């Protein structure tokens, strides 16, 4: 039959080994969870959409030409022999039409002469916006990766500290029981 001292000794050893095993299991579960189920961020950088094409400018020119033709028709439809105020307004409308016509002609020549140069500023702006978005996404991903690694290190070092403390306590209790014998 076992003495009361031996029973306590075995109970202390069983408790210390159970605590040590439980600490190791909890640390392993936390480490696996942190690696496998932590926040995952995927960054998908899509190439920018197609640049505005020359037909978009051509449709705008068609609209301007239609407005110009409508204004010419309205100016010609005005009755003749009207008072001076009406004649002055017609004269202003005619000068506006001529200014619009000259602007349209210069726009057409600029686009037809060098379409790449006409599209250069919108393309550069689009590229800058694309670079800004990709830089922000990369910065966010890097920050969250560093945070995740920091959290994982905290858990691993905490588990290691608990394991060392458990091992020290178990050694202390074992040495105490050996010195009691």
């Amino acid at each position: 039959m076992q003495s009361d001292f031996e029973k306590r000794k075995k109970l202390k050893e069983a408790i210390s080994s159970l605590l040590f095993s439980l600490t190791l299991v909890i640390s392993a579960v936390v480490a696996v969870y942190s690696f496998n189920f932590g926040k995952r961020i995927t960054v998908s950088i899509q190439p920018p959409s197609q640049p505005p094409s020359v037909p978009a400018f051509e449709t705008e020119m068609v609209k301007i030409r239609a407005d110009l033709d409508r204004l010419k028709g309205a100016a010609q439809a005005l009755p003749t022999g009207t008072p001076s105020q009406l004649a002055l307004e017609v004269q202003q409308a005619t000068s506006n039409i001529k200014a619009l016509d000259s602007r349209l002609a210069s726009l057409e020549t600029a686009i037809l002469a060098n379409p790449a140069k006409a599209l250069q500023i919108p393309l550069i702006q689009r590229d800058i916006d694309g670079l800004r978005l990709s830089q922000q996404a990369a910065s966010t991903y890097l920050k969250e990766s560093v945070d995740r690694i920091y959290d994982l290190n905290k858990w691993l070092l905490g588990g290691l500290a608990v394991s060392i403390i458990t091992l020290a306590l178990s050694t202390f209790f074992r040495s105490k029981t050996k010195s009691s014998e």
Side-chain angles (χ1 to χ4, degrees):
M1 188 164 198
Q2 293 180 346
S3 70
D4 193 33
F5 176 74
E6 289 177 356
K7 286 181 185 178
R8 273 194 259 145
K9 179 181 174 184
K10 285 184 181 181
L11 181 63
K12 285 181 183 179
E13 287 177 357
I15 289 174
S16 65
S17 67
L18 179 66
L19 284 175
F20 183 71
S21 300
L22 185 62
T23 304
L24 287 178
V25 168
I26 289 174
S27 298
V29 167
V30 168
V32 168
Y33 176 78
S34 296
F35 267 130
N36 291 332
F37 302 109
K39 282 187 185 176
R40 302 255 173 160
I41 297 175
T42 57
V43 177
S44 86
I45 300 173
Q46 298 176 354
S49 62
Q50 294 296 325
S53 60
V54 175
F57 288 114
E58 288 176 355
T59 57
E60 188 66 30
M61 285 190 302
V62 168
K63 289 178 185 176
I64 292 173
R65 188 166 299 282
D67 288 343
L68 184 63
D69 291 338
R70 184 179 52 80
L71 286 174
K72 282 182 182 178
Q76 290 174 355
L78 288 174
T80 57
T82 58
S84 63
Q85 185 180 11
L86 188 55
L88 182 62
E89 287 179 13
V90 169
Q91 211 172 26
Q92 287 176 349
T94 306
S95 66
N96 287 342
I97 289 171
K98 286 181 184 178
L100 264 173
D101 199 20
S102 67
R103 286 178 53 202
L104 178 64
S106 65
L107 184 62
E108 284 177 343
T109 56
I111 290 175
L112 294 177
N114 194 355
K117 193 178 247 184
L119 295 175
Q120 191 172 15
I121 291 177
L123 290 175
I124 291 172
Q125 183 65 35
R126 188 200 65 206
D127 290 344
I128 289 172
D129 290 342
L131 285 172
R132 184 180 301 125
L133 289 175
S134 66
Q135 187 66 24
Q136 286 174 349
S139 174
T140 302
Y141 177 74
L142 181 64
K143 180 190 176 304
E144 294 202 5
S145 293
V146 168
D147 289 345
R148 189 181 56 199
I149 290 171
Y150 179 72
D151 287 342
L152 178 66
N153 282 338
K154 284 193 305 186
W155 279 103
L156 289 176
L157 290 175
L160 184 64
V162 169
S163 299
I164 290 172
I165 290 170
T166 305
L167 184 61
L169 288 175
S170 124
T171 305
F172 176 73
F173 285 128
R174 284 184 189 161
S175 66
K176 196 172 191 181
T177 55
K178 285 184 181 179
S179 65
S180 299
E181 290 178 358

